[in-house]
Amino acid sequence: MTAAPVVPGRLTSIDAYRGLVMFLLMAEALRSCEVAAARPGSALWSFSCHHQTHVPWVGSSLHDLIQPSFSFLVGTALAFSLASRAAAGQSRPWLVAHAAWRALVLVVLGIWLRSIGRPQTYFTFEDTLTQIGLGYVFLVLLALRPAREQWLALGAILVGYWAAFALFPAPRRDFDFAAVGVPADWPHHLAGFGAHWDKNSNLAWAFDVWFLNLFPREQPFAFNGGGYATLSFIPTLGTMILGLLAGGVLRSERTPAARVRWLAVAGLVGLGSGWLLGALGICPVVKRIWTPSFTLWSAGWCFLVLAGAYALVDVLGHRRWAFPLVVIGMNSIAAYCLNEVGARFVRASLETHLGEAPFRIAGDPYLPFLEGMAVVLVLWLILFWMYRRRIFLRI
């Protein structure tokens, strides 16, 4: 008789890290930039505002690491869930079929959430859920292959995506940037070879001008105001593959210390290589179009955070502090949906029933922040209620 494969238990560190990511997303309710505008001389609030918003183009803030972290952890968790399903006797065709269903639900859910408040379905594919959904079946197929093939696929994705942008014609000097929502004197324009990755004039923008106009729209698609693009799902798949490889390391027979070292070294290599590609002018680090350099740079941070969380929570056993994050992380889809559809409702309800007076206790400039703290608390309490009753939204 063949012994059933041993499947490691759920790692609290993964849930804690995912909970941190979702908390940062929910923390948009804190509206730090409004406080910073009311306190223009405050370095603290200026710093907080910077890290609660996306950078205009090149570079990154803490806010820019939310989506990569969520995508990375999809891959990390997949390494464990596939092992669990395989141990339960599920066949590979069934695993792939389930992946296709999950991918479809993620894409539909993403479009549905983006369509709230609009007169018709808003077909968009650049948000977190649809980006993950578009690459998820490919991720599962790779997860069923050896790690060597996963590395090869990652290399092909990053090099191929870079080459596709590099070969696509850069905008000419007479390119009408104003027609695509970018001022001609915008200070973040890229010059020289970097112009191949300039805003709303690159390969991904050209693809969306064709692709998104295949769907019914309120008006023809000409550009995305933030420069985000459908094709970013390809390097996002690269991010998920790196998370999958991290999950493989955590499931391996390495000692805990060796796992932490591997993740930490991978993090430093990712940070260094991503930064170097940008510094040398080979590929700018741009989150909004998920350049290969950004894939590596952001994954570097993901590896490092995961290494720290795993060492602290699962190796050293310091779990109690992470409980508030675990409550969120174990119900991340519910947290995402609650934030998308519930945050504004909660804020309006607080203002209706409590008024603004309780939130002006520290002065008018801090009203948005204190009100936001109350919103986040209410959302967390809803998730805590679900946690206590073992209600978890799964796809």
Side-chain angles (χ1 to χ4, degrees):
M1 181 181 294
T2 303
V6 178
V7 181
R10 191 181 188 107
L11 292 180
T12 305
S13 56
I14 295 177
D15 289 324
Y17 183 12
R18 191 188 295 111
L20 173 63
V21 172
M22 297 311 301
F23 170 77
L24 292 174
L25 182 65
M26 292 160 59
E28 291 177 345
L30 301 180
R31 297 185 290 175
S32 294
C33 289
E34 293 185 30
V35 182
R39 296 292 308 278
S42 172
L44 173 63
W45 288 106
S46 177
F47 177 84
S48 179
C49 173
H50 171 75
H51 286 289
Q52 277 207 309
T53 53
H54 295 297
V55 297
W57 201 244
V58 175
S60 178
S61 66
L62 178 62
H63 203 65
D64 288 308
L65 295 176
I66 293 176
Q67 187 174 350
S69 294
F70 194 79
S71 303
F72 181 92
L73 290 170
V74 167
T76 306
L78 181 64
F80 288 86
S81 64
L82 280 187
S84 177
R85 290 176 179 275
Q90 295 185 12
S91 66
R92 289 196 171 194
W94 175 257
L95 293 174
V96 175
H98 177 266
W101 167 252
R102 191 180 193 197
L104 176 62
V105 172
L106 286 170
V107 171
V108 171
L109 181 58
I111 293 173
W112 179 77
L113 290 171
R114 287 291 180 267
S115 301
I116 293 175
R118 293 179 176 269
Q120 68 179 70
T121 304
Y122 181 57
F123 288 97
T124 181
F125 302 90
E126 85 284 349
D127 68 283
T128 301
L129 296 185
T130 54
Q131 289 280 291
I132 292 172
L134 290 173
Y136 191 71
V137 173
F138 300 103
L139 179 68
V140 171
L141 290 171
L142 285 169
L144 298 173
R145 306 301 304 166
R148 178 177 177 275
E149 295 183 24
Q150 295 167 13
W151 281 110
L152 289 174
L154 174 67
I157 287 170
L158 297 184
V159 173
Y161 198 68
W162 173 86
F165 271 72
L167 293 173
F168 186 81
R172 297 164 35 142
R173 290 188 176 183
D174 60 350
F175 184 85
D176 188 1
F177 277 101
V180 293
V182 185
D185 59 350
W186 191 51
H188 307 286
H189 276 300
L190 297 174
F193 185 63
H196 290 277
W197 291 269
D198 209 353
K199 184 177 180 180
N200 289 344
S201 56
N202 54 63
L203 170 67
W205 161 78
F207 174 84
D208 273 349
V209 170
W210 166 74
F211 177 66
L212 294 180
N213 282 311
L214 298 177
F215 299 90
R217 315 189 68 82
E218 296 175 53
Q219 57 187 21
F221 177 86
F223 61 89
N224 179 286
Y228 301 103
T230 302
L231 285 182
S232 293
F233 86 89
I234 298 173
T236 295
L237 174 59
T239 300
M240 293 193 290
I241 292 173
L242 287 165
L244 176 66
L245 291 163
V249 169
L250 292 175
R251 289 191 63 251
S252 70
E253 296 181 356
R254 294 177 174 88
T255 65
R259 295 171 189 164
V260 173
R261 283 196 299 271
W262 193 100
L263 293 172
V265 170
L268 294 175
V269 171
L271 280 176
S273 57
W275 173 83
L276 189 62
L277 287 171
L280 294 177
I282 297 173
C283 181
V285 180
V286 183
K287 186 268 180 188
R288 292 172 185 257
I289 51 174
W290 216 286
T291 57
S293 54
F294 176 79
T295 302
L296 294 171
W297 189 86
S298 60
W301 282 112
C302 295
F303 278 119
L304 291 175
V305 175
L306 182 59
Y310 174 69
L312 186 62
V313 176
D314 290 311
V315 178
L316 298 179
H318 300 305
R319 292 183 171 86
R320 296 182 66 180
W321 69 271
F323 175 74
L325 299 178
V326 171
V327 167
I328 305 173
M330 289 187 67
N331 225 346
S332 57
I333 296 295
Y336 187 94
C337 293
L338 272 175
N339 186 66
E340 289 291 322
V341 303
R344 291 184 182 87
F345 171 77
V346 171
R347 182 185 304 279
S349 297
L350 290 171
E351 291 177 352
T352 297
H353 299 290
L354 300 179
E356 294 185 345
F359 307 112
R360 296 184 186 276
I361 189 171
D364 290 353
Y366 302 102
L367 181 148
F369 183 78
L370 294 179
E371 194 175 61
M373 287 181 64
V375 171
V376 173
L377 176 60
V378 171
L379 296 180
W380 185 87
L381 288 173
I382 294 172
L383 293 169
F384 179 64
W385 176 84
M386 297 175 71
Y387 175 87
R388 288 288 299 271
R389 284 155 181 78
R390 315 305 293 173
I391 301 172
F392 301 107
L393 183 58
R394 305 284 189 229
I395 296 177

